[in-house]
Amino acid sequence: MQIEVRPATVFADVATMVGPKRPDANVCWCLSYRIPSKQNQALVGVQRGALVRQLVEEDPPPGVLAYDGEEVVGWAGVHPRADTTFARNRRIPSLDERVVWSVWCLRVRPGHRGAGISHPLLAGAAAFAFERGAEVVEGYPVDNRGEKVDLTMAYVGTRALFEAAGFTKAADTTSLLNGFPRVVMRLERPTR
């Protein structure tokens, strides 16, 4: 398996990864951290997909996709922190005024999980951010200390996954997910 990570510019592939089986269903579409809470709550059914279709056409797009050949197998939500709800999040602290991009969601498609796709997906999300001017890339995974994380809550990643990608713990948070504390993990822009 050769995983290639590309900008999320193909709406159908984004929909495969984060959209519902029924277009009118109210699912996240990976918008809960990307747009203001009031807007997120106001969007229902097909409006959610319509907004994602619009975001996919913007520069930068709302994330990256992992491909095995031409088959989409993974998604990572990554965007400048200033344009996400993390910019105002009281539970996950902002550490400084640098140009920070946030990775808030990592999803691997059913049938492809357990194959190590999350590792190149996270590396690709960080590379995408650095190519677009990020000084630092942050993630807010759970610090589960090796304990099992419920699959529906695993989208934030684990501290171990981020450490394997070269991120280091920068701060604790007051955010809990699935009973586990979340931490701020940071990766500095590589020096040339």
Side-chain angles (χ1 to χ4, degrees), residues 5-10 14 56 60-65 67 75 124 128 131-132:
V5 178
R6 306 176 201 157
T9 58
V10 179
V14 174
V56 163
V64 295
L65 294 163
Y67 291 87
W75 154 265
F128 172 80
E131 289 165 5
R132 284 157 182 78

Side-chain angles (χ1 to χ4, degrees), residues 155-169:
Y155 69 93
V156 297
T158 63
R159 179 177 177 172
L161 170 67
F162 279 79
E163 286 176 338
F167 287 69
T168 57
K169 181 182 171 188

Side-chain angles (χ1 to χ4, degrees), residues 5 24 36 48-49 62-63 66 101 111 115 117 122-123 125 130 138 144 160 166 180:
V5 178
D24 62 332
R48 299 182 71 72
W101 280 50
I117 293 169
L122 179 54
F130 289 134
E138 286 183 346
N144 62 323
F180 298 111

Side-chain angles (χ1 to χ4, degrees), residues 44-65:
V44 294
V46 296
Q47 296 171 335
R48 299 182 71 72
L51 177 58
V52 172
R53 183 181 296 275
Q54 178 185 330
L55 293 174
V56 163
E57 295 174 4
E58 292 180 1
D59 186 22
V64 295
L65 294 163

Side-chain angles (χ1 to χ4, degrees), residues 81 86-89 92-97 100 138 184 186:
R81 180 177 171 134
F86 294 111
R88 297 164 299 285
N89 192 308
I92 298 176
S94 180
L95 303 180
D96 53 41
E97 298 301 317
V100 176
E138 286 183 346
V184 177
R186 279 189 147 193

Side-chain angles (χ1 to χ4, degrees), residues 4-38:
E4 180 185 359
V5 178
R6 306 176 201 157
T9 58
V10 179
F11 174 75
D13 291 348
V14 174
T16 294
M17 290 307 307
V18 298
K21 289 184 170 82
R22 286 188 4 250
D24 62 332
N26 284 327
V27 299
C28 181
W29 275 100
C30 208
L31 291 172
S32 61
Y33 293 115
R34 176 63 181 84
I35 61 175
S37 181
K38 285 183 181 178

